[in-house]
Amino acid sequence: MTDQAPYPIGTPGQPWGDAERAEWRSLQTRQRSYETDVVRVIDSLRSRFDVVEYGRLDYAPDTYALLAIRSREWRDDLPSVLVTGGVHGYETSGVHGALRFVEQHADDYAGRVNLLVAPCISPWAYERIHRWNAHAVDPNRSFRDDSPAEESAALMRLVAPLRDRVRVHIDLHETTDTDETEFRPAKAARDGEDSVPGEIPDGFYLVGDSENPQPAFQQAVIAAVARVTHIAPADRNGQIIGSPVVAPGIINYPVRKLGLCAGVTSARYTTTTEVYPDSPRASSEQCNAAQAAAVCAAIDFALGQ
Protein backbone atom coordinates (compact mmCIF):
# COMPACT_ATOMS: atom_id res chain seq x y z
CA MET A 1 0.00 0.00 0.00
CA THR A 2 2.93 2.38 0.47
CA ASP A 3 3.56 2.30 -3.31
CA GLN A 4 -0.08 2.85 -4.20
CA ALA A 5 -0.56 4.31 -7.68
CA PRO A 6 -2.38 7.64 -8.01
CA TYR A 7 -6.13 7.36 -8.37
CA PRO A 8 -6.97 7.36 -12.11
CA ILE A 9 -9.33 10.34 -11.94
CA GLY A 10 -8.26 13.90 -11.22
CA THR A 11 -4.98 15.63 -10.47
CA PRO A 12 -3.21 14.72 -7.22
CA GLY A 13 -3.66 17.43 -4.62
CA GLN A 14 -6.62 19.08 -6.40
CA PRO A 15 -10.24 18.42 -5.39
CA TRP A 16 -12.54 17.17 -8.08
CA GLY A 17 -14.73 19.52 -10.01
CA ASP A 18 -17.77 18.78 -12.16
CA ALA A 19 -15.68 17.23 -14.94
CA GLU A 20 -13.98 14.75 -12.63
CA ARG A 21 -17.25 13.79 -10.97
CA ALA A 22 -18.82 13.26 -14.39
CA GLU A 23 -15.87 11.09 -15.44
CA TRP A 24 -16.19 9.07 -12.24
CA ARG A 25 -19.92 8.57 -12.78
CA SER A 26 -19.37 7.48 -16.39
CA LEU A 27 -17.23 4.59 -15.13
CA GLN A 28 -19.87 3.22 -12.74
CA THR A 29 -21.81 0.33 -14.26
CA ARG A 30 -24.86 -1.53 -13.02
CA GLN A 31 -23.82 -4.91 -11.62
CA ARG A 32 -27.02 -6.07 -9.92
CA SER A 33 -30.69 -5.16 -9.74
CA TYR A 34 -32.38 -3.22 -6.97
CA GLU A 35 -35.74 -4.22 -8.44
CA THR A 36 -34.93 -7.93 -8.36
CA ASP A 37 -32.94 -8.13 -5.13
CA VAL A 38 -34.80 -5.65 -2.95
CA VAL A 39 -38.12 -4.41 -4.34
CA ARG A 40 -39.42 -7.90 -5.09
CA VAL A 41 -38.59 -9.05 -1.57
CA ILE A 42 -40.34 -6.01 -0.12
CA ASP A 43 -43.36 -6.69 -2.34
CA SER A 44 -43.53 -10.24 -0.99
CA LEU A 45 -43.93 -8.77 2.51
CA ARG A 46 -46.92 -6.55 1.70
CA SER A 47 -49.37 -9.12 3.04
CA ARG A 48 -47.79 -8.79 6.50
CA PHE A 49 -46.54 -5.19 6.64
CA ASP A 50 -47.30 -1.77 5.28
CA VAL A 51 -44.87 -0.51 2.64
CA VAL A 52 -44.20 3.22 2.38
CA GLU A 53 -42.62 4.99 -0.59
CA TYR A 54 -40.82 7.80 1.20
CA GLY A 55 -38.99 9.31 -1.77
CA ARG A 56 -37.87 8.83 -5.34
CA LEU A 57 -34.40 9.25 -6.77
CA ASP A 58 -34.00 10.56 -10.30
CA TYR A 59 -30.57 9.73 -11.68
CA ALA A 60 -31.38 9.89 -15.37
CA PRO A 61 -32.00 7.58 -17.08
CA ASP A 62 -32.68 5.64 -13.87
CA THR A 63 -35.28 6.31 -11.18
CA TYR A 64 -35.61 4.52 -7.87
CA ALA A 65 -38.48 4.32 -5.40
CA LEU A 66 -37.21 4.56 -1.81
CA LEU A 67 -39.19 2.04 0.21
CA ALA A 68 -39.65 1.40 3.92
CA ILE A 69 -41.42 -1.45 5.68
CA ARG A 70 -43.71 -0.49 8.56
CA SER A 71 -45.63 -2.40 11.21
CA ARG A 72 -49.24 -2.74 10.10
CA GLU A 73 -50.62 -2.52 13.64
CA TRP A 74 -48.80 0.67 14.60
CA ARG A 75 -49.61 1.80 18.13
CA ASP A 76 -48.57 5.07 19.69
CA ASP A 77 -48.25 3.43 23.11
CA LEU A 78 -45.47 1.08 21.91
CA PRO A 79 -41.76 1.87 21.62
CA SER A 80 -40.56 2.37 18.06
CA VAL A 81 -37.56 0.73 16.42
CA LEU A 82 -35.78 2.03 13.32
CA VAL A 83 -33.64 -0.34 11.24
CA THR A 84 -31.65 1.07 8.33
CA GLY A 85 -29.47 -0.64 5.74
CA GLY A 86 -27.78 0.12 2.47
CA VAL A 87 -26.72 3.65 3.36
CA HIS A 88 -23.60 2.55 1.51
CA GLY A 89 -24.95 0.57 -1.40
CA TYR A 90 -21.96 -1.74 -1.71
CA GLU A 91 -22.41 -3.05 1.85
CA THR A 92 -24.53 -5.99 0.84
CA SER A 93 -25.40 -7.59 4.17
CA GLY A 94 -26.70 -4.28 5.45
CA VAL A 95 -29.46 -4.55 2.86
CA HIS A 96 -30.08 -8.28 3.02
CA GLY A 97 -29.62 -8.47 6.78
CA ALA A 98 -32.40 -5.90 7.20
CA LEU A 99 -34.67 -7.86 4.86
CA ARG A 100 -33.78 -11.11 6.61
CA PHE A 101 -34.76 -9.59 9.94
CA VAL A 102 -38.17 -8.60 8.60
CA GLU A 103 -38.77 -11.92 6.86
CA GLN A 104 -37.69 -14.19 9.72
CA HIS A 105 -37.89 -12.26 12.99
CA ALA A 106 -40.14 -9.21 12.80
CA ASP A 107 -43.31 -11.15 13.66
CA ASP A 108 -41.72 -12.05 17.01
CA TYR A 109 -42.07 -8.39 18.00
CA ALA A 110 -45.67 -7.84 16.86
CA GLY A 111 -47.60 -6.02 19.55
CA ARG A 112 -44.37 -5.25 21.42
CA VAL A 113 -42.72 -2.59 19.26
CA ASN A 114 -43.46 -0.52 16.19
CA LEU A 115 -41.00 -1.39 13.41
CA LEU A 116 -39.81 0.92 10.64
CA VAL A 117 -37.23 -0.68 8.33
CA ALA A 118 -35.54 1.14 5.45
CA PRO A 119 -33.45 -1.68 3.97
CA CYS A 120 -31.79 0.03 1.01
CA ILE A 121 -31.30 3.76 1.44
CA SER A 122 -28.97 4.11 -1.55
CA PRO A 123 -30.28 1.95 -4.43
CA TRP A 124 -28.20 3.56 -7.22
CA ALA A 125 -25.08 2.67 -5.25
CA TYR A 126 -26.48 -0.79 -4.44
CA GLU A 127 -26.70 -1.57 -8.13
CA ARG A 128 -23.19 -0.29 -8.82
CA ILE A 129 -21.65 -1.77 -5.66
CA HIS A 130 -20.36 1.63 -4.57
CA ARG A 131 -20.14 3.72 -1.43
CA TRP A 132 -21.25 7.03 -2.94
CA ASN A 133 -24.39 8.19 -4.68
CA ALA A 134 -24.41 9.28 -8.33
CA HIS A 135 -22.94 12.68 -7.42
CA ALA A 136 -19.91 11.13 -5.66
CA VAL A 137 -21.40 12.10 -2.29
CA ASP A 138 -21.26 9.79 0.72
CA PRO A 139 -24.79 9.54 2.15
CA ASN A 140 -23.39 8.52 5.54
CA ARG A 141 -21.72 11.86 6.03
CA SER A 142 -24.82 13.70 4.87
CA PHE A 143 -27.49 13.23 7.56
CA ARG A 144 -27.64 16.93 8.38
CA ASP A 145 -29.68 20.01 7.56
CA ASP A 146 -29.43 21.00 3.88
CA SER A 147 -28.10 17.54 3.11
CA PRO A 148 -26.19 17.23 -0.18
CA ALA A 149 -27.52 13.67 -0.58
CA GLU A 150 -31.18 13.14 -1.48
CA GLU A 151 -30.94 9.61 -0.07
CA SER A 152 -30.15 11.07 3.36
CA ALA A 153 -32.63 13.92 3.12
CA ALA A 154 -35.44 11.53 2.19
CA LEU A 155 -34.80 9.30 5.20
CA MET A 156 -34.70 12.31 7.51
CA ARG A 157 -38.09 13.43 6.19
CA LEU A 158 -39.49 9.94 6.79
CA VAL A 159 -38.18 9.79 10.34
CA ALA A 160 -38.90 13.40 11.35
CA PRO A 161 -42.39 12.76 12.83
CA LEU A 162 -40.99 9.90 14.94
CA ARG A 163 -37.62 11.38 15.79
CA ASP A 164 -38.25 11.77 19.50
CA ARG A 165 -40.26 8.54 19.85
CA VAL A 166 -37.70 6.04 18.56
CA ARG A 167 -36.18 3.93 21.32
CA VAL A 168 -33.77 1.88 19.20
CA HIS A 169 -32.01 2.67 15.95
CA ILE A 170 -29.63 0.12 14.45
CA ASP A 171 -27.85 0.99 11.21
CA LEU A 172 -26.41 -1.99 9.31
CA HIS A 173 -23.03 -1.66 7.56
CA GLU A 174 -19.99 -3.60 6.35
CA THR A 175 -16.26 -2.93 6.29
CA THR A 176 -14.72 -4.53 3.18
CA ASP A 177 -11.34 -4.94 1.53
CA THR A 178 -12.48 -2.48 -1.13
CA ASP A 179 -12.59 0.22 1.56
CA GLU A 180 -8.82 0.11 1.35
CA THR A 181 -8.29 -0.65 -2.33
CA GLU A 182 -10.95 1.64 -3.84
CA PHE A 183 -13.04 3.81 -1.59
CA ARG A 184 -10.42 5.47 0.61
CA PRO A 185 -8.16 6.23 -2.39
CA ALA A 186 -11.20 7.55 -4.29
CA LYS A 187 -12.16 9.81 -1.39
CA ALA A 188 -8.62 11.16 -1.10
CA ALA A 189 -8.56 11.89 -4.84
CA ARG A 190 -12.01 13.53 -4.74
CA ASP A 191 -11.00 15.77 -1.85
CA GLY A 192 -7.49 16.58 -3.12
CA GLU A 193 -5.80 14.83 -0.22
CA ASP A 194 -3.13 12.17 0.20
CA SER A 195 -4.33 8.59 0.50
CA VAL A 196 -3.21 7.18 3.85
CA PRO A 197 -3.19 3.36 4.06
CA GLY A 198 -5.12 1.77 6.92
CA GLU A 199 -6.08 -1.66 8.21
CA ILE A 200 -9.26 -3.64 7.68
CA PRO A 201 -10.45 -5.35 10.90
CA ASP A 202 -11.21 -9.05 10.56
CA GLY A 203 -14.62 -9.55 12.10
CA PHE A 204 -17.79 -7.92 13.34
CA TYR A 205 -17.70 -4.71 15.39
CA LEU A 206 -20.00 -1.92 16.52
CA VAL A 207 -19.80 1.85 16.41
CA GLY A 208 -21.63 3.52 19.29
CA ASP A 209 -22.33 7.18 19.95
CA SER A 210 -19.56 8.87 21.94
CA GLU A 211 -22.06 11.51 23.11
CA ASN A 212 -24.55 8.87 24.26
CA PRO A 213 -22.51 5.81 25.23
CA GLN A 214 -24.57 2.77 26.13
CA PRO A 215 -21.95 0.13 26.96
CA ALA A 216 -24.33 -2.52 28.30
CA PHE A 217 -26.47 -2.22 25.16
CA GLN A 218 -23.47 -2.49 22.84
CA GLN A 219 -22.09 -5.46 24.76
CA ALA A 220 -25.42 -7.29 24.57
CA VAL A 221 -25.39 -6.94 20.78
CA ILE A 222 -21.78 -8.15 20.58
CA ALA A 223 -22.61 -11.17 22.75
CA ALA A 224 -25.49 -12.17 20.47
CA VAL A 225 -23.50 -11.75 17.26
CA ALA A 226 -20.55 -13.72 18.69
CA ARG A 227 -22.79 -16.78 18.50
CA VAL A 228 -23.07 -16.25 14.73
CA THR A 229 -19.68 -14.94 13.61
CA HIS A 230 -16.36 -13.79 15.04
CA ILE A 231 -15.78 -10.39 16.64
CA ALA A 232 -13.01 -8.13 15.34
CA PRO A 233 -9.98 -7.86 17.65
CA ALA A 234 -8.23 -4.60 18.40
CA ASP A 235 -5.10 -3.87 16.38
CA ARG A 236 -1.61 -3.47 17.86
CA ASN A 237 -2.57 0.03 19.04
CA GLY A 238 -5.74 -1.09 20.80
CA GLN A 239 -7.86 0.41 18.02
CA ILE A 240 -10.30 -0.52 15.28
CA ILE A 241 -10.15 1.67 12.15
CA GLY A 242 -8.21 4.30 14.08
CA SER A 243 -10.54 4.58 17.08
CA PRO A 244 -9.89 3.25 20.59
CA VAL A 245 -11.63 0.00 21.46
CA VAL A 246 -13.77 0.72 24.54
CA ALA A 247 -14.86 -2.93 24.97
CA PRO A 248 -14.35 -6.02 22.81
CA GLY A 249 -15.62 -5.19 19.33
CA ILE A 250 -16.87 -1.71 20.26
CA ILE A 251 -15.69 1.78 19.28
CA ASN A 252 -17.49 5.12 19.50
CA TYR A 253 -17.94 8.07 17.12
CA PRO A 254 -19.70 11.43 17.58
CA VAL A 255 -22.42 10.33 15.20
CA ARG A 256 -24.39 13.57 14.90
CA LYS A 257 -21.30 15.72 14.45
CA LEU A 258 -20.17 13.46 11.61
CA GLY A 259 -23.61 13.43 9.94
CA LEU A 260 -23.98 9.66 10.30
CA CYS A 261 -27.25 7.81 9.84
CA ALA A 262 -27.13 6.57 13.44
CA GLY A 263 -27.76 10.16 14.57
CA VAL A 264 -31.07 10.79 12.78
CA THR A 265 -33.24 10.16 15.86
CA SER A 266 -33.14 10.91 19.56
CA ALA A 267 -33.12 7.19 20.35
CA ARG A 268 -31.52 6.17 23.62
CA TYR A 269 -30.11 3.00 22.06
CA THR A 270 -28.25 3.47 18.80
CA THR A 271 -25.49 1.56 17.08
CA THR A 272 -23.89 1.02 13.71
CA THR A 273 -22.96 -2.55 12.85
CA GLU A 274 -19.91 -3.49 10.77
CA VAL A 275 -19.36 -6.99 9.41
CA TYR A 276 -16.39 -8.16 7.34
CA PRO A 277 -17.65 -10.21 4.37
CA ASP A 278 -14.15 -10.72 2.92
CA SER A 279 -12.94 -12.69 5.92
CA PRO A 280 -11.98 -16.33 5.22
CA ARG A 281 -13.83 -17.07 8.46
CA ALA A 282 -17.21 -15.68 7.37
CA SER A 283 -19.69 -16.37 4.56
CA SER A 284 -22.33 -14.08 3.10
CA GLU A 285 -24.91 -16.20 4.91
CA GLN A 286 -23.15 -15.58 8.23
CA CYS A 287 -22.96 -11.87 7.52
CA ASN A 288 -26.70 -11.63 6.84
CA ALA A 289 -27.44 -13.74 9.91
CA ALA A 290 -25.13 -11.59 12.04
CA GLN A 291 -26.96 -8.43 10.98
CA ALA A 292 -30.35 -9.95 11.80
CA ALA A 293 -29.04 -11.23 15.14
CA ALA A 294 -27.76 -7.75 15.97
CA VAL A 295 -31.20 -6.25 15.32
CA CYS A 296 -32.92 -8.83 17.49
CA ALA A 297 -30.41 -8.36 20.31
CA ALA A 298 -30.78 -4.58 20.18
CA ILE A 299 -34.56 -4.80 20.47
CA ASP A 300 -34.45 -7.46 23.16
CA PHE A 301 -32.09 -5.38 25.27
CA ALA A 302 -34.22 -2.25 24.99
CA LEU A 303 -37.40 -4.14 25.87
CA GLY A 304 -35.71 -5.49 28.97
CA GLN A 305 -34.90 -2.05 30.35
Side-chain angles (χ1 to χ4, degrees), residues 127-142:
E127 292 195 329
R128 288 151 183 86
I129 313 183
H130 212 284
R131 184 179 183 90
W132 297 339
N133 70 10
H135 301 301
V137 172
D138 185 344
N140 206 35
R141 295 297 184 274
S142 303

Side-chain angles (χ1 to χ4, degrees), residues 1-9 12 180-181 185-186 188-189 195:
M1 295 300 293
T2 56
D3 297 323
Q4 188 178 70
Y7 197 76
I9 297 173
E180 194 64 28
T181 60
S195 181

Side-chain angles (χ1 to χ4, degrees), residues 1-2 10 16-17 20-21 28 37 46 66 74 84 90 122 124 135 187 189 196 213 226 228 237 239 246 286 305:
M1 295 300 293
T2 56
W16 289 358
E20 290 80 10
R21 290 174 186 267
Q28 309 310 310
D37 297 352
R46 288 179 182 270
L66 296 172
W74 192 279
T84 48
Y90 73 108
S122 192
W124 183 92
H135 301 301
K187 179 182 182 299
V196 179
V228 179
N237 298 313
Q239 299 179 336
V246 297
Q286 278 180 295
Q305 301 306 296

Side-chain angles (χ1 to χ4, degrees), residues 73 123 151 186 194 207 242 266 287:
E73 302 299 327
E151 295 85 351
D194 292 332
V207 181
S266 299
C287 291

Side-chain angles (χ1 to χ4, degrees), residues 161-181:
L162 306 170
R163 187 178 185 278
D164 296 329
R165 291 190 286 160
V166 173
R167 182 178 295 182
V168 179
H169 177 198
I170 183 164
D171 188 33
L172 309 180
H173 284 254
E174 292 181 346
T175 301
T176 72
D177 286 344
T178 51
D179 286 8
E180 194 64 28
T181 60

Side-chain angles (χ1 to χ4, degrees), residues 252-280:
N252 288 320
Y253 281 176
V255 296
R256 288 182 179 82
K257 181 179 179 181
L258 293 175
L260 303 184
C261 184
V264 298
T265 74
S266 299
R268 179 177 181 183
Y269 301 113
T270 65
T271 197
T272 301
T273 67
E274 296 281 357
V275 303
Y276 179 43
D278 298 315
S279 173

